[in-house]
Amino acid sequence: MSDLRSLSKEELIVLYSKLEKDFQRIKDKNLSLDMSRGKPSPEQLDLSLDLLTISSDSLHVLEEIDVRNYGSLDGLLETKQLFAEILQVNTSEVIIGGNSSLNMMYDTVSRALLHGVIDSNIPWAKEEKVKFLCPSPGYDRHFAICELLNIEMITIEMLDDGPDMDKIEELVKEDKYIKGIWCIPKYSNPDGTTYSDEVVDRLAKMKTKAPDFKVFWDDAYTVHHLTDKPSQLKNMLQACKDAGNPNRVFIFASTSKITFPGSGVSAMASSEENIHFIKKQLVIQTIGPDKINQLRHVHFLKDLENIEQHMKKQAEIIKPKFDMVTTILESQLSHLNIASWSNPKGGYFISLNTLDDCAKETVKLAAEAGVTLTNAGATFPYGKDPRDRNIRIAPTFPSLTELKTAIEVLCVCIKMASIKKLLKN
Ligand code: PMP
């Protein structure tokens, strides 16, 4: 088979009927494979089992805080030190949260709407409207926060080294209602892109019409390398300080995909001024996050060097899965010229682009064949991919055997959707 676009209508029809037979054979197998969310596999979770058996004798802390009791609104000093090392910031620039960084992001946006941020004249919700820039493809749950909180989303194209900065600079310079931007700066979800130094600097420096513009820097995959040559991300908080905008960024991270998602520890980092401002509101919101879990994590993860070792073990488990996906895509699709995909050096996803107008159909066919993928469009604001071409592949959870089947099915579905589209033209 060669480039599908060079085939005649008749040849395409012949090919389609052959694929239909393959598709029926797949359906007859009654598969049930779920590749919709980026979850660690049971083998990855097993790597952190020691977290659950830390002896109660070791549950003592610096500053003689009894972790079994109330206290420590912004987290234990040791947890702050750990995240400060991960995020390359000062301990005084960290707040520890509960079990989910997404929750911290939601709360941060909500507080801004209700009370404004440090440099706001009025709460964001009192403005005529509020807009966020959304580099896309991106993380559906960021977009869901905006949708729920009535924040208008503006799609920004993701380029090879981060979001389209020319477009961003042009927009924020003119529009006072643009209050924020969502960024996944390292091994982005789903493209696997790491922002270049230039992009980091431009985000830190750019002139914004809104005096209270904030960058939501979701560094969820900062230690999630898949190769021996980790991508380097420039320090955004430092870049903001250097640019004279020290309060511009809120950084988020968690141990979700380091230890146990849903039972990990989250953190945010920002300038001391921002941290102080936030803590004054946080003290009303909560008595404080789970210190016992923080301490368990501190004992288990120890320091950045130890985390890097732990993440190497994770990579040993998941790298073969990423390789399996790209090898099958390569052998099944590359000569047909109907799709392209990322080859990430870290993170949790492979981002695949079909021909325009084929993603929805592909995902629908895959579902019919028993393979659940992330909804087409989910990686764009309002669930609407303007070119209907992006599909997020989450290879970590299924076993290698399941994954092989799922990707082979996906390839059949992409071919069918592409032929349908070509026959329409
Ligand atoms: N940010 C990104 C970019 C993610 O991909 C995820 C997990 N899918 C999260 C945040 C969620 O993190 P947490 O479990 O800390 O809420």
Side-chain angles (χ1 to χ4, degrees), residues 378-402:
T379 51
F380 284 78
Y382 308 105
K384 287 195 189 110
D385 175 355
R387 296 177 66 178
D388 182 24
R389 63 171 189 164
N390 189 250
I391 295 175
R392 185 181 82 163
I393 301 177
T396 54
F397 187 76
S399 68
L400 269 174
T401 325
E402 287 172 333

Side-chain angles (χ1 to χ4, degrees), residues 37-39 98-105 138-142 183-184 186-189 218-221 252-257 260-267 348-349 392:
R37 303 274 1 151
K39 293 195 295 190
N99 65 337
S100 159
S101 59
L102 189 74
N103 193 174
M104 289 191 105
M105 294 178 230
Y139 181 35
D140 53 353
R141 291 184 193 265
H142 288 161
C183 295
I184 309 165
K186 195 160 170 187
Y187 306 134
S188 68
N189 173 354
D218 182 359
D219 209 359
Y221 298 107
F252 302 91
S254 77
T255 65
S256 284
K257 285 166 181 174
F260 300 144
S263 307
V265 178
S266 64
Y348 251 62
F349 303 99
R392 185 181 82 163

Side-chain angles (χ1 to χ4, degrees), residues 117 119 124 179-181 212-216 247-248 250:
V117 289
D119 22 33
W124 287 3
K179 298 286 189 183
I181 180 170
D212 51 353
F213 176 88
K214 295 285 169 247
V215 175
F216 289 75
N247 297 332
R248 177 166 289 184
F250 296 133

Side-chain angles (χ1 to χ4, degrees), residues 157-169:
E157 198 186 345
M158 274 294 284
L159 307 177
D160 286 346
D161 68 341
D164 180 348
M165 283 310 302
D166 290 344
K167 186 79 200 160
I168 290 174
E169 284 165 349

